[in-house]
Amino acid sequence: MKRTISAMVGKGSVSHNSRKFHAKNTDPDRSYRNIEYCNEDIRKVYHDLFDDALDKYNQKQTRSDRRIDNYYEKIRSGKQEKPFHEIILQIGNREDTAATTAEGELAVKILDEYMRDFKKRNPNLRVFSAHMHLDEATPHLHIDFVPFTIGSKRGLETRVSLKKALAAMGFTGGTRSETEWNQWVTAEKKQLAAVMERHGIEWSRKALMRNIFQFWITRSRSGQKRWRLWKNAVLRLRRRTAPMKRRKNDCTVNCVIKIIRFGKRRDGGMRQKPKRKLWKKKQRQHKRNCLCLHQI
C-alpha cells in the first residue's frame, strides 16, 4: 500500500485547532475524537523562554527607549519574525485515507507515533499547541511552535529566530530552493515515512500535476480569481465539445498553462506572461494545433 505525505504551512489559528469554533469543513459530532497533545498560552511560553534573557538585555540598556517591556508584543508587531509557526502533516487524501475508514484509523496511529518524538527531534522548536483532527475529511496534525536560538550575540541572548533555530539543528540551507525550512520539512517527511514503513505503508512521492499547478496559481489573490475563471471556462468548454469527437491534440490543462503562462519574478512575485513577441508566437502555434480555451 502506498500513500503520499503532505506537509503544509498552516495559518496558525489556535482557536480553530482547539475547536473553540467550528468551520464549515468540520463535523461537530466527531470532534470528541480529536487528540490534543498540548495547548498552552503563547504569552506564558514567551515568559518561560525569554524572561531571563530579556532582564539581562534591559539591564545593559542605558536609554529607556531601547528597553523592551513585552517581548511577545514586540515580535507580534514587528516584521522581522513571526511569533510562531505552524506545520500541517497529513497522510494520503480524502479518496484513499478518509477519517471514517480503516485506512484513516491506521493513519491516526502513524501520526500519533510520529508526534510522540517530535519535541525530542526538534529541541529548538518550542511546541505549545499540537492537535490531531479527526472530525474533517482526512486525519492530520497541526503543530504550532516557537523557534528560538540560544547564545545570540545581538539583541537578546535567547531570541526568536526560525533560521537560527533550524541551523542549530543542522539545517543550514544553501540554494534558493534548498532553504532551511525546506530541508527541515523534507527531514520530517522522511521521519514520518519511516513510521509508515513500520506499519506496512510505502511513501508515494508521485504528485498530481494539477494540484501543483492549482497551488502555484492560487498563491496570490489575482491567481485565485484566474483559477476560478479557468474552472468556469473548462466547464463551458466541456459542455460545448461534449457532442463533438475530440481530436488527439486537444489538451485542456496544457493549453491553460500555455495561455495563462505564469512565471516567477526575482522578488518572489508572479508575472502573467513572457515577452510580447514570444507570447504571440506561442499563441499562434497553439491555435493551429489544438481546440481549447481560445475558441470559447
Side-chain angles (χ1 to χ4, degrees):
M1 183 166 57
K2 294 184 178 181
R3 290 294 183 269
T4 57
I5 296 176
S6 302
M8 298 157 284
V9 179
K11 295 181 179 180
S13 177
V14 181
S15 299
H16 166 72
N17 297 344
S18 58
R19 290 298 185 259
K20 290 184 179 179
F21 68 91
H22 285 274
K24 294 181 180 180
N25 62 331
T26 63
D27 184 3
D29 295 334
R30 291 191 284 128
S31 295
Y32 72 93
R33 299 181 58 204
N34 293 347
I35 302 174
E36 181 178 282
Y37 297 95
C38 60
N39 187 17
E40 304 177 55
D41 185 6
I42 188 172
R43 291 173 176 81
K44 182 179 181 301
V45 172
Y46 263 72
H47 284 302
D48 295 340
L49 284 175
F50 307 112
D51 269 4
D52 293 340
L54 183 62
D55 292 339
K56 292 180 181 179
Y57 174 81
N58 287 335
Q59 289 175 4
K60 295 178 181 179
Q61 304 305 315
T62 57
R63 291 171 48 179
S64 59
D65 59 336
R66 289 188 176 180
R67 294 174 184 171
I68 302 173
D69 297 327
N70 191 323
Y71 188 59
Y72 171 74
E73 292 297 332
K74 180 181 184 302
I75 296 297
R76 189 179 66 85
S77 59
K79 297 181 179 180
Q80 292 184 347
E81 294 284 348
K82 294 174 61 177
F84 68 95
H85 296 261
E86 179 180 271
I87 185 171
I88 305 173
L89 291 159
Q90 175 181 304
I91 299 173
N93 51 53
R94 65 176 65 188
E95 283 79 19
D96 55 25
T97 319
T100 56
T101 62
E103 291 79 3
E105 294 295 333
L106 181 58
V108 171
K109 294 180 181 179
I110 295 172
L111 290 171
D112 181 71
E113 185 177 339
Y114 162 84
M115 183 61 205
R116 299 298 177 184
D117 297 329
F118 184 86
K119 295 181 181 180
K120 185 178 179 181
R121 286 193 310 272
N122 303 284
N124 288 75
L125 306 180
R126 176 64 163 82
V127 179
F128 68 93
S129 175
H131 299 80
M132 187 189 300
H133 288 164
L134 306 177
D135 57 354
E136 298 182 34
T138 310
H140 56 274
L141 276 171
H142 289 261
I143 306 174
D144 299 89
F145 55 86
V146 178
F148 65 95
T149 180
I150 301 175
S152 177
K153 296 181 180 179
R154 295 184 59 185
L156 277 68
E157 291 183 359
T158 303
R159 62 185 180 89
V160 175
S161 176
L162 178 63
K163 187 174 182 177
K164 296 289 185 181
L166 296 179
M169 296 188 297
F171 306 102
T172 56
T175 62
R176 188 173 182 178
S177 59
E178 287 293 322
T179 61
E180 293 87 353
W181 176 267
N182 290 343
Q183 289 178 351
W184 176 72
V185 169
T186 302
E188 287 300 310
K189 283 185 175 182
K190 291 179 180 178
Q191 291 290 338
L192 182 54
V195 181
M196 290 168 57
E197 287 182 3
R198 291 198 291 269
H199 290 268
I201 301 178
E202 184 181 351
W203 180 16
S204 175
R205 304 194 184 195
K206 184 178 180 180
L208 294 177
M209 192 62 203
R210 181 185 175 191
N211 293 340
I212 295 175
F213 179 59
Q214 180 181 0
F215 172 75
W216 184 28
I217 289 180
T218 55
R219 289 174 62 185
S220 62
R221 290 185 178 179
S222 60
Q224 294 173 4
K225 181 179 179 181
R226 290 181 180 278
W227 178 254
R228 289 195 298 269
L229 294 174
W230 176 81
K231 289 197 296 186
N232 295 334
V234 170
L235 291 176
R236 291 198 304 270
L237 176 65
R238 287 176 179 173
R239 287 195 296 265
R240 182 176 176 181
T241 59
M244 299 169 57
K245 185 178 180 181
R246 298 172 66 86
R247 297 182 299 182
K248 292 182 180 180
N249 293 338
D250 192 4
C251 52
T252 305
V253 176
N254 291 333
C255 292
V256 171
I257 294 176
K258 292 179 181 179
I259 294 298
I260 296 180
R261 199 64 184 178
F262 274 89
K264 286 189 176 181
R265 296 199 303 259
R266 290 185 178 180
D267 59 355
M270 305 188 76
R271 59 182 172 82
Q272 183 178 351
K273 49 191 176 182
K275 295 181 179 179
R276 185 174 181 82
K277 290 183 179 179
L278 181 62
W279 167 259
K280 291 294 183 182
K281 180 179 178 182
K282 286 185 174 294
Q283 203 172 31
R284 288 195 299 270
Q285 292 175 354
H286 211 59
K287 286 184 178 182
R288 287 197 300 266
N289 298 330
C290 167
L291 170 68
C292 195
L293 297 183
H294 51 72
Q295 295 191 18
I296 296 177

PDB file of all heavy atoms in Angstrom, residues 46-63:
ATOM      1  N   TYR A  46       6.263  32.495  26.037  1.00  0.00           N
ATOM      2  CA  TYR A  46       7.271  33.541  25.825  1.00  0.00           C
ATOM      3  C   TYR A  46       7.917  33.951  27.136  1.00  0.00           C
ATOM      4  O   TYR A  46       9.133  34.214  27.190  1.00  0.00           O
ATOM      5  CB  TYR A  46       6.619  34.752  25.145  1.00  0.00           C
ATOM      6  CG  TYR A  46       6.806  34.759  23.646  1.00  0.00           C
ATOM      7  CD1 TYR A  46       6.126  33.854  22.837  1.00  0.00           C
ATOM      8  CD2 TYR A  46       7.666  35.653  23.032  1.00  0.00           C
ATOM      9  CE1 TYR A  46       6.299  33.849  21.464  1.00  0.00           C
ATOM     10  CE2 TYR A  46       7.842  35.673  21.656  1.00  0.00           C
ATOM     11  CZ  TYR A  46       7.159  34.755  20.882  1.00  0.00           C
ATOM     12  OH  TYR A  46       7.338  34.754  19.521  1.00  0.00           O
ATOM     13  N   HIS A  47       7.133  34.028  28.214  1.00  0.00           N
ATOM     14  CA  HIS A  47       7.705  34.367  29.515  1.00  0.00           C
ATOM     15  C   HIS A  47       8.691  33.290  29.961  1.00  0.00           C
ATOM     16  O   HIS A  47       9.783  33.592  30.458  1.00  0.00           O
ATOM     17  CB  HIS A  47       6.600  34.535  30.548  1.00  0.00           C
ATOM     18  CG  HIS A  47       5.850  35.824  30.418  1.00  0.00           C
ATOM     19  ND1 HIS A  47       6.473  37.054  30.480  1.00  0.00           N
ATOM     20  CD2 HIS A  47       4.522  36.076  30.236  1.00  0.00           C
ATOM     21  CE1 HIS A  47       5.569  38.013  30.335  1.00  0.00           C
ATOM     22  NE2 HIS A  47       4.381  37.449  30.183  1.00  0.00           N
ATOM     23  N   ASP A  48       8.331  32.029  29.769  1.00  0.00           N
ATOM     24  CA  ASP A  48       9.215  30.939  30.192  1.00  0.00           C
ATOM     25  C   ASP A  48      10.512  30.914  29.390  1.00  0.00           C
ATOM     26  O   ASP A  48      11.585  30.615  29.929  1.00  0.00           O
ATOM     27  CB  ASP A  48       8.485  29.590  30.053  1.00  0.00           C
ATOM     28  CG  ASP A  48       7.291  29.485  30.984  1.00  0.00           C
ATOM     29  OD1 ASP A  48       7.250  30.247  31.971  1.00  0.00           O
ATOM     30  OD2 ASP A  48       6.399  28.651  30.715  1.00  0.00           O
ATOM     31  N   LEU A  49      10.426  31.220  28.111  1.00  0.00           N
ATOM     32  CA  LEU A  49      11.598  31.117  27.251  1.00  0.00           C
ATOM     33  C   LEU A  49      12.519  32.328  27.338  1.00  0.00           C
ATOM     34  O   LEU A  49      13.751  32.186  27.335  1.00  0.00           O
ATOM     35  CB  LEU A  49      11.160  30.928  25.788  1.00  0.00           C
ATOM     36  CG  LEU A  49      10.646  29.555  25.372  1.00  0.00           C
ATOM     37  CD1 LEU A  49      10.145  29.601  23.932  1.00  0.00           C
ATOM     38  CD2 LEU A  49      11.749  28.507  25.494  1.00  0.00           C
ATOM     39  N   PHE A  50      11.951  33.522  27.404  1.00  0.00           N
ATOM     40  CA  PHE A  50      12.747  34.717  27.144  1.00  0.00           C
ATOM     41  C   PHE A  50      12.841  35.695  28.316  1.00  0.00           C
ATOM     42  O   PHE A  50      13.529  36.712  28.179  1.00  0.00           O
ATOM     43  CB  PHE A  50      12.176  35.464  25.928  1.00  0.00           C
ATOM     44  CG  PHE A  50      12.009  34.603  24.715  1.00  0.00           C
ATOM     45  CD1 PHE A  50      10.738  34.287  24.242  1.00  0.00           C
ATOM     46  CD2 PHE A  50      13.112  34.096  24.053  1.00  0.00           C
ATOM     47  CE1 PHE A  50      10.583  33.495  23.111  1.00  0.00           C
ATOM     48  CE2 PHE A  50      12.963  33.303  22.924  1.00  0.00           C
ATOM     49  CZ  PHE A  50      11.701  32.997  22.450  1.00  0.00           C
ATOM     50  N   ASP A  51      12.206  35.454  29.444  1.00  0.00           N
ATOM     51  CA  ASP A  51      12.224  36.441  30.532  1.00  0.00           C
ATOM     52  C   ASP A  51      13.631  36.669  31.085  1.00  0.00           C
ATOM     53  O   ASP A  51      14.036  37.816  31.329  1.00  0.00           O
ATOM     54  CB  ASP A  51      11.279  35.995  31.659  1.00  0.00           C
ATOM     55  CG  ASP A  51       9.879  36.555  31.456  1.00  0.00           C
ATOM     56  OD1 ASP A  51       9.653  37.213  30.422  1.00  0.00           O
ATOM     57  OD2 ASP A  51       9.004  36.310  32.305  1.00  0.00           O
ATOM     58  N   ASP A  52      14.392  35.606  31.286  1.00  0.00           N
ATOM     59  CA  ASP A  52      15.753  35.764  31.819  1.00  0.00           C
ATOM     60  C   ASP A  52      16.632  36.561  30.855  1.00  0.00           C
ATOM     61  O   ASP A  52      17.365  37.477  31.264  1.00  0.00           O
ATOM     62  CB  ASP A  52      16.379  34.390  32.086  1.00  0.00           C
ATOM     63  CG  ASP A  52      15.671  33.658  33.210  1.00  0.00           C
ATOM     64  OD1 ASP A  52      14.986  34.332  34.011  1.00  0.00           O
ATOM     65  OD2 ASP A  52      15.784  32.415  33.279  1.00  0.00           O
ATOM     66  N   ALA A  53      16.574  36.205  29.574  1.00  0.00           N
ATOM     67  CA  ALA A  53      17.363  36.925  28.575  1.00  0.00           C
ATOM     68  C   ALA A  53      16.886  38.364  28.435  1.00  0.00           C
ATOM     69  O   ALA A  53      17.696  39.285  28.209  1.00  0.00           O
ATOM     70  CB  ALA A  53      17.286  36.209  27.233  1.00  0.00           C
ATOM     71  N   LEU A  54      15.583  38.583  28.599  1.00  0.00           N
ATOM     72  CA  LEU A  54      15.041  39.942  28.495  1.00  0.00           C
ATOM     73  C   LEU A  54      15.513  40.811  29.651  1.00  0.00           C
ATOM     74  O   LEU A  54      15.844  41.993  29.457  1.00  0.00           O
ATOM     75  CB  LEU A  54      13.509  39.878  28.457  1.00  0.00           C
ATOM     76  CG  LEU A  54      12.766  41.198  28.278  1.00  0.00           C
ATOM     77  CD1 LEU A  54      13.131  41.831  26.948  1.00  0.00           C
ATOM     78  CD2 LEU A  54      11.260  40.985  28.372  1.00  0.00           C
ATOM     79  N   ASP A  55      15.558  40.264  30.857  1.00  0.00           N
ATOM     80  CA  ASP A  55      16.044  41.031  32.015  1.00  0.00           C
ATOM     81  C   ASP A  55      17.509  41.425  31.826  1.00  0.00           C
ATOM     82  O   ASP A  55      17.902  42.567  32.124  1.00  0.00           O
ATOM     83  CB  ASP A  55      15.874  40.206  33.291  1.00  0.00           C
ATOM     84  CG  ASP A  55      14.407  40.015  33.651  1.00  0.00           C
ATOM     85  OD1 ASP A  55      13.582  40.822  33.180  1.00  0.00           O
ATOM     86  OD2 ASP A  55      14.092  39.057  34.390  1.00  0.00           O
ATOM     87  N   LYS A  56      18.341  40.491  31.349  1.00  0.00           N
ATOM     88  CA  LYS A  56      19.755  40.795  31.116  1.00  0.00           C
ATOM     89  C   LYS A  56      19.917  41.877  30.055  1.00  0.00           C
ATOM     90  O   LYS A  56      20.766  42.761  30.166  1.00  0.00           O
ATOM     91  CB  LYS A  56      20.499  39.533  30.695  1.00  0.00           C
ATOM     92  CG  LYS A  56      20.616  38.485  31.789  1.00  0.00           C
ATOM     93  CD  LYS A  56      21.365  37.260  31.278  1.00  0.00           C
ATOM     94  CE  LYS A  56      21.471  36.197  32.356  1.00  0.00           C
ATOM     95  NZ  LYS A  56      22.180  34.980  31.857  1.00  0.00           N
ATOM     96  N   TYR A  57      19.089  41.803  29.025  1.00  0.00           N
ATOM     97  CA  TYR A  57      19.171  42.801  27.944  1.00  0.00           C
ATOM     98  C   TYR A  57      18.778  44.188  28.449  1.00  0.00           C
ATOM     99  O   TYR A  57      19.452  45.184  28.155  1.00  0.00           O
ATOM    100  CB  TYR A  57      18.262  42.371  26.790  1.00  0.00           C
ATOM    101  CG  TYR A  57      18.148  43.372  25.680  1.00  0.00           C
ATOM    102  CD1 TYR A  57      19.124  43.479  24.698  1.00  0.00           C
ATOM    103  CD2 TYR A  57      17.053  44.239  25.619  1.00  0.00           C
ATOM    104  CE1 TYR A  57      19.022  44.414  23.677  1.00  0.00           C
ATOM    105  CE2 TYR A  57      16.942  45.175  24.612  1.00  0.00           C
ATOM    106  CZ  TYR A  57      17.921  45.257  23.636  1.00  0.00           C
ATOM    107  OH  TYR A  57      17.815  46.198  22.633  1.00  0.00           O
ATOM    108  N   ASN A  58      17.697  44.266  29.210  1.00  0.00           N
ATOM    109  CA  ASN A  58      17.220  45.563  29.692  1.00  0.00           C
ATOM    110  C   ASN A  58      18.207  46.187  30.696  1.00  0.00           C
ATOM    111  O   ASN A  58      18.335  47.421  30.768  1.00  0.00           O
ATOM    112  CB  ASN A  58      15.849  45.418  30.335  1.00  0.00           C
ATOM    113  CG  ASN A  58      14.758  45.199  29.298  1.00  0.00           C
ATOM    114  OD1 ASN A  58      14.902  45.600  28.140  1.00  0.00           O
ATOM    115  ND2 ASN A  58      13.669  44.563  29.699  1.00  0.00           N
ATOM    116  N   GLN A  59      18.900  45.370  31.469  1.00  0.00           N
ATOM    117  CA  GLN A  59      19.861  45.897  32.433  1.00  0.00           C
ATOM    118  C   GLN A  59      21.060  46.554  31.743  1.00  0.00           C
ATOM    119  O   GLN A  59      21.676  47.474  32.304  1.00  0.00           O
ATOM    120  CB  GLN A  59      20.347  44.778  33.354  1.00  0.00           C
ATOM    121  CG  GLN A  59      19.294  44.295  34.336  1.00  0.00           C
ATOM    122  CD  GLN A  59      19.764  43.112  35.158  1.00  0.00           C
ATOM    123  OE1 GLN A  59      20.918  42.689  35.055  1.00  0.00           O
ATOM    124  NE2 GLN A  59      18.866  42.560  35.969  1.00  0.00           N
ATOM    125  N   LYS A  60      21.387  46.099  30.555  1.00  0.00           N
ATOM    126  CA  LYS A  60      22.517  46.658  29.820  1.00  0.00           C
ATOM    127  C   LYS A  60      22.172  47.966  29.120  1.00  0.00           C
ATOM    128  O   LYS A  60      23.077  48.705  28.709  1.00  0.00           O
ATOM    129  CB  LYS A  60      23.020  45.662  28.779  1.00  0.00           C
ATOM    130  CG  LYS A  60      23.604  44.388  29.381  1.00  0.00           C
ATOM    131  CD  LYS A  60      24.038  43.445  28.276  1.00  0.00           C
ATOM    132  CE  LYS A  60      24.597  42.150  28.849  1.00  0.00           C
ATOM    133  NZ  LYS A  60      25.001  41.199  27.768  1.00  0.00           N
ATOM    134  N   GLN A  61      20.897  48.261  28.959  1.00  0.00           N
ATOM    135  CA  GLN A  61      20.487  49.444  28.211  1.00  0.00           C
ATOM    136  C   GLN A  61      20.519  50.684  29.102  1.00  0.00           C
ATOM    137  O   GLN A  61      19.969  50.680  30.207  1.00  0.00           O
ATOM    138  CB  GLN A  61      19.077  49.252  27.629  1.00  0.00           C
ATOM    139  CG  GLN A  61      18.927  48.022  26.762  1.00  0.00           C
ATOM    140  CD  GLN A  61      19.944  47.971  25.634  1.00  0.00           C
ATOM    141  OE1 GLN A  61      20.183  48.966  24.952  1.00  0.00           O
ATOM    142  NE2 GLN A  61      20.539  46.798  25.433  1.00  0.00           N
ATOM    143  N   THR A  62      21.173  51.725  28.589  1.00  0.00           N
ATOM    144  CA  THR A  62      21.229  52.996  29.317  1.00  0.00           C
ATOM    145  C   THR A  62      20.116  53.941  28.897  1.00  0.00           C
ATOM    146  O   THR A  62      19.807  54.896  29.615  1.00  0.00           O
ATOM    147  CB  THR A  62      22.584  53.665  29.074  1.00  0.00           C
ATOM    148  OG1 THR A  62      22.780  53.854  27.662  1.00  0.00           O
ATOM    149  CG2 THR A  62      23.703  52.804  29.635  1.00  0.00           C
ATOM    150  N   ARG A  63      19.534  53.684  27.744  1.00  0.00           N
ATOM    151  CA  ARG A  63      18.429  54.524  27.259  1.00  0.00           C
ATOM    152  C   ARG A  63      17.111  53.778  27.457  1.00  0.00           C
ATOM    153  O   ARG A  63      16.985  52.602  27.118  1.00  0.00           O
ATOM    154  CB  ARG A  63      18.627  54.854  25.777  1.00  0.00           C
ATOM    155  CG  ARG A  63      19.794  55.781  25.522  1.00  0.00           C
ATOM    156  CD  ARG A  63      20.075  55.905  24.029  1.00  0.00           C
ATOM    157  NE  ARG A  63      18.875  56.160  23.234  1.00  0.00           N
ATOM    158  CZ  ARG A  63      18.882  56.316  21.905  1.00  0.00           C
ATOM    159  NH1 ARG A  63      20.042  56.236  21.239  1.00  0.00           N
ATOM    160  NH2 ARG A  63      17.769  56.533  21.268  1.00  0.00           N
TER     161      ARG A  63
END
